[in-house]
Amino acid sequence: MPLPITAAVLLDGSDRLTLTDVLLDDPLDREVVVRTEHVGLCHSDVHYVEGSLGIDRPAVLGHEVAGIVEAVGAQVSRVRVGQRVVATVTPSCGQCPHCLAGRPTQCSRVAEVRARPRPRFALPDGTPVQALADMGAFGEAFLASEDSLAIVPDDVPSVVACLLGCCVTTGVGAVVHGAQVRSEDTVAVIGCGGVGIAALQGARLAGARRIVALDSQPAKLEVARRFGATDTLLSQGDPADVVRRLHDLVPGGVSHAIEAVGNPATAALAFDLLAPAGTATVLGLMPEGRTIGIPADALVYGDRRIQGAYMGANRFLSDVDMFVDHYRSGRLDLDGMVTEVLPFDQIDEGLRRMRDPGTIRVVLRVGAGAA
């Protein structure tokens, strides 16, 4: 029988989320019902609400989530009822050429992994409800493929565990897997929101010798120093002047630049900050059709590169184990990334507070017993 829950639904013609009753479908053979404990608010959620990223409506957004397994399908073998799990928007089959080559975020069978014959959510009148990333975590419970879930130990509170599913996976993953930063490298991180702060921590974990944080908001630069930035640079004004000031800090430019904003101008700036043979890694999501302009001579004569790292080019199941160990040892500061915890019914206020320069992550408390 479908499970009645409350979810925050993005309705047609609305620029806010509405708490309403929905029905969560029964799990298929390889699916898991997860009772939500905490869910993080991501800037991509803001983009969907505002309409700069498109999704069919009505829809349940949300993807940065931790919860407790409540029910499993007949063929689920890796997770069991009662375990705490975190979810990813990049499930993988583990069998296609990309997965076997260690690039699961580019799984060529991801559509098969996500496919199901009927909607995950429906309104009480039977109207189908879209689920963001085939998950839809802004609700009291959600359905996910077993391949989308990683188990986290009970000593990692759900209020920080949820961050592992998106901003930490993307930011740290981009440094470790996408850019493959090493101890001799110098790194610039453009944008000090949740993903950027995670990238700063990733560069610190990798042992980068210089880590420069860039943002247009001075308050964000103050925060960045707490998470690994050795230097900060205000990125307001003429991009050429920003490049010049970066060169004053790191003569010749940086070996790696990480773009965590999602804007063609900041992606181009990341490339311009590079030393010869450097690599710019772009993380920020941009609307379809946007283009990035870079100088061809700097690309060819300077052996520079620009690349994407979707969701940090993560290897989710093994990455979560790595993050947990770093968190336990104090090398990865998750607690400090949670700016504020709000009750679920204040979700719209939480999205508004995401625009505050001092905010890293707002987390919603959904489950009554969430830890």
Side-chain angles (χ1 to χ4, degrees):
M1 290 289 291
L3 178 66
I5 64 168
T6 299
V9 180
L10 182 62
L11 299 172
D12 286 330
S14 178
D15 61 355
R16 60 185 300 274
L17 298 174
T18 301
L19 292 183
T20 189
D21 294 333
V22 299
L23 298 175
L24 181 67
D25 195 28
D26 294 326
L28 302 179
D29 284 349
R30 300 200 67 244
E31 288 183 334
V32 177
V33 176
V34 180
R35 182 65 65 168
T36 307
E37 293 184 294
H38 285 94
V39 59
L41 300 183
C42 177
H43 278 96
S44 62
D45 297 313
V46 176
H47 296 326
Y48 284 111
V49 172
E50 293 178 341
S52 55
L53 291 176
I55 189 171
D56 291 338
R57 304 185 186 200
V60 178
L61 307 179
H63 58 280
E64 189 176 82
V65 62
I68 301 296
V69 174
E70 183 164 295
V72 299
Q75 296 180 16
V76 170
S77 60
R78 190 172 52 80
V79 303
R80 65 178 186 272
V81 172
Q83 287 182 317
R84 175 168 291 147
V85 293
V86 293
T88 179
V89 301
T90 55
S92 56
C93 72
Q95 300 173 9
C96 73
H98 290 301
C99 288
L100 293 174
R103 297 187 294 270
T105 59
Q106 298 302 315
C107 175
S108 59
R109 296 177 58 210
V110 67
E112 296 175 43
V113 173
R114 290 174 166 174
R116 68 191 324 271
R118 54 186 186 266
R120 284 169 167 76
F121 296 106
L123 296 177
D125 65 3
T127 301
V129 177
Q130 176 78 10
L132 177 64
D134 295 296
M135 184 189 308
F138 285 166
E140 294 175 322
F142 64 95
L143 271 172
S145 162
E146 181 183 23
D147 301 303
S148 301
L149 302 174
I151 301 163
V152 292
D154 290 340
D155 65 334
V156 181
S158 61
V159 69
V160 296
C162 65
L163 305 184
L164 303 181
C166 180
C167 67
V168 172
T169 287
T170 303
V172 178
V175 173
V176 174
H177 301 307
Q180 299 182 0
V181 170
R182 297 176 295 186
S183 58
E184 66 264 35
D185 285 323
T186 54
V187 178
V189 175
I190 304 173
C192 298
V195 171
I197 291 296
L200 291 172
Q201 295 206 67
R204 181 174 61 185
L205 287 170
R209 59 193 175 99
R210 295 287 292 278
I211 306 170
V212 185
L214 294 90
D215 202 283
S216 61
Q217 300 288 336
K220 287 188 176 291
L221 296 180
E222 293 177 17
V223 172
R225 286 192 176 273
R226 305 204 316 262
F227 292 92
T230 60
D231 306 270
T232 59
L233 190 62
L234 195 64
S235 57
Q236 294 175 343
D238 182 1
D241 181 58
V242 176
V243 174
R244 180 190 60 76
R245 288 185 283 122
L246 185 282
H247 281 219
D248 289 341
L249 289 172
V250 185
V254 295
S255 51
H256 288 279
I258 310 292
E259 194 274 352
V261 178
N263 186 291
T266 49
L269 175 61
F271 183 84
D272 291 341
L273 298 177
L274 296 175
T279 300
T281 302
V282 179
L283 304 182
L285 296 179
M286 304 180 205
E288 186 175 351
R290 301 297 293 273
T291 59
I292 300 168
I294 59 173
D297 58 340
L299 175 71
V300 178
Y301 293 123
D303 286 346
R304 295 174 176 88
R305 294 187 296 166
I306 185 168
Q307 65 179 9
Y310 174 54
M311 292 298 294
N314 73 77
R315 301 167 190 174
F316 188 65
L317 298 184
S318 60
D319 282 354
V320 167
D321 288 340
M322 172 183 68
F323 298 148
V324 166
D325 283 343
H326 284 313
Y327 171 69
R328 284 169 164 168
S329 68
R331 292 187 297 265
L332 179 62
D333 181 4
L334 301 179
D335 300 273
M337 293 181 67
V338 178
T339 308
E340 190 169 13
V341 181
L342 296 176
F344 184 42
D345 61 6
Q346 292 187 28
I347 186 169
D348 279 308
E349 174 62 17
L351 292 173
R352 187 190 67 79
R353 294 188 191 184
M354 287 294 292
R355 301 176 178 87
D356 186 327
T359 295
I360 302 174
R361 260 314 188 251
V362 174
V363 172
L364 301 176
R365 181 177 61 256
V366 182

